[in-house]
Amino acid sequence: MLDTGYQCDHVIARKRKGRRSVKIFHEIKAGRAAVIDARAKGGVGLVPTMGALHEGHRSLIRASRDRCESTAVTIFVNPTQFGPGEDFDDYPRALNTDLAVCEEEGVDIVFAPSVETMYPQGGRTTVHVSELTDGLCGTSRPGHFDGVTTVVAKLCNILPADLAFFGEKDYQQLVIVRRMARDLDMAIRIVGCPIVRERDGLALSSRNQYLTADGRRRATSLSRSLFAARNRIESGVRDAASILEGVREGLRAGGVDDIGYIDVVDSETLASLHHLVDRARICVAARIESCRLIDNVGVDASKDAK
Ligand code: AMP
């Protein structure tokens, strides 16, 4: 018999009477037992994050709370998805603030393991999804998605939830994780959630806090040029090269000169498109100051022009 008795590391009592408490786990066995226990009472939603929680993460938590009886959030800055020279050491870590956010949002379980807990012997197994990982962010971040799929597979094994919620903000990651879950017959269902943006269009990201005021202003050109491209597609433009050139000009005019990529891809296969006929995603990555930002918008070229 599985021992589902568990000891959680702390409990944040909810202020409002009658509500459950957030239970925080740092160890695998106890975290797993808590999710198994919660599943006996109803569906469990999983929200994997690297912490520094913002409105984007909150939206995933709310999506989970809408659909599931209990919600488990993971907070783990996963070293294996950072390349050499990337910002693993500097990545914002704010566990106490994150726990307060989880408490406010009605999260039931937080799993916040250490690197040693997740990779006690370093780890010799990698989950690799082919092809979908080659383009877009995969081109300049070799191994990044292997780190992501491996840690997501581990988290889904540790916390056997019913649904897992991922943001479209990391659109390529969402498509890859969905494919992994399907290819490996994982029992969990992957749910994609829309991008949450600031009023001026900037997609929320834990990395935005690295930006100076000037960088922050220039960063809005990512969403502005993507929205302009979407408008052009809605008014009938179908030639990908022309769309991409428009985005490039928009970024340059907005003061972004270090462009990682601009691509229009099929929304499922992520294959680059020359001519748009169906659902597609326009994706960009750019560096502003020390900060690598990504953004994307969905378009449906099968609809008639407005
Ligand atoms: P991260 O903590 O950056 O690894 O992100 C954890 C999850 O939150 C991922 O599924 C992200 O796609 C999602 N996420 C991050 N930013 C946003 C956003 N602005 N809107 C919606 N989801 C987001």
Side-chain angles (χ1 to χ4, degrees):
M1 261 251 315
L2 245 177
D3 170 20
T4 57
Y6 55 85
Q7 198 79 55
C8 67
D9 295 299
H10 349 257
V11 175
I12 298 181
R14 296 225 169 98
K15 289 174 194 97
R16 257 181 280 152
K17 226 177 147 190
R19 290 179 68 191
R20 289 167 295 186
S21 312
V22 192
K23 297 193 174 83
I24 300 141
F25 300 92
H26 301 292
E27 301 305 328
I28 289 175
K29 194 175 170 202
R32 173 180 289 139
V35 170
I36 291 172
D37 206 27
R39 275 192 87 183
K41 299 171 196 134
V44 177
L46 179 68
V47 180
T49 82
M50 296 206 297
L53 302 180
H54 51 62
E55 279 299 322
H57 301 110
R58 284 181 190 256
S59 74
L60 304 186
I61 295 170
R62 289 176 196 152
S64 169
R65 289 205 66 206
D66 282 349
R67 296 180 59 170
C68 304
E69 192 63 34
S70 312
T71 293
V73 170
T74 68
I75 298 176
F76 179 59
V77 184
N78 174 36
T80 68
Q81 67 191 73
F82 289 79
E86 291 189 352
D87 57 347
F88 173 70
D89 289 333
D90 298 332
Y91 195 85
R93 288 163 175 88
L95 187 59
N96 287 337
T97 322
D98 289 346
L99 294 177
V101 170
C102 290
E103 193 253 344
E104 249 176 65
E105 293 296 336
V107 170
D108 301 276
I109 293 165
V110 170
F111 180 59
S114 67
V115 171
E116 292 67 36
T117 297
M118 289 297 280
Y119 303 108
Q121 280 129 19
R124 297 229 188 284
T125 305
T126 300
V127 179
H128 174 71
V129 175
S130 60
E131 291 180 31
L132 295 172
T133 50
D134 292 343
L136 303 173
C137 290
T139 310
S140 62
R141 303 187 74 190
H144 165 67
F145 288 114
D146 289 355
V148 170
T149 42
T150 305
V151 81
V152 171
K154 280 169 71 69
L155 291 170
C156 293
N157 281 334
I158 294 167
L159 307 175
D162 300 275
L163 304 179
F165 295 83
F166 288 85
E168 289 182 349
K169 160 73 170 40
D170 301 277
Y171 189 76
Q172 186 177 18
Q173 169 177 286
L174 169 63
V175 171
I176 289 167
V177 167
R178 195 172 262 150
R179 183 62 193 243
M180 168 189 75
R182 203 167 61 200
D183 284 353
L184 296 182
D185 305 300
M186 292 168 69
I188 205 155
R189 259 220 352 262
I190 307 299
V191 182
C193 300
I195 301 175
V196 177
R197 299 179 178 281
E198 306 271 12
R199 273 171 178 275
D200 60 9
L202 179 66
L204 289 174
S205 162
S206 306
R207 289 187 168 104
N208 291 351
Q209 56 187 276
Y210 300 148
L211 294 167
T212 65
D214 175 58
R216 168 74 186 67
R217 188 185 45 74
R218 285 187 284 141
T220 58
S221 58
L222 271 76
S223 55
R224 229 176 312 119
S225 42
L226 288 172
F227 296 156
R230 183 173 60 194
N231 289 342
R232 291 185 65 211
I233 292 166
E234 284 173 356
S235 62
V237 179
R238 295 288 178 268
D239 175 44
S242 155
I243 304 289
L244 296 180
E245 195 41 43
V247 175
R248 190 175 304 281
E249 276 169 22
L251 290 175
R252 287 217 184 100
V256 178
D257 30 42
D258 193 352
I259 299 170
Y261 61 76
I262 309 169
D263 210 350
V264 189
V265 298
D266 179 275
S267 58
E268 279 175 30
T269 65
L270 302 181
S272 292
L273 301 172
H274 299 292
H275 186 78
L276 279 76
V277 284
D278 218 330
R279 282 179 193 280
R281 212 86 197 175
I282 315 172
C283 303
V284 300
R287 184 170 299 279
I288 298 180
E289 299 165 338
S290 63
C291 191
R292 183 178 179 279
L293 300 176
I294 57 171
D295 199 354
N296 68 87
V297 289
V299 291
D300 187 353
S302 66
K303 287 191 185 154
D304 288 338
K306 277 185 184 165

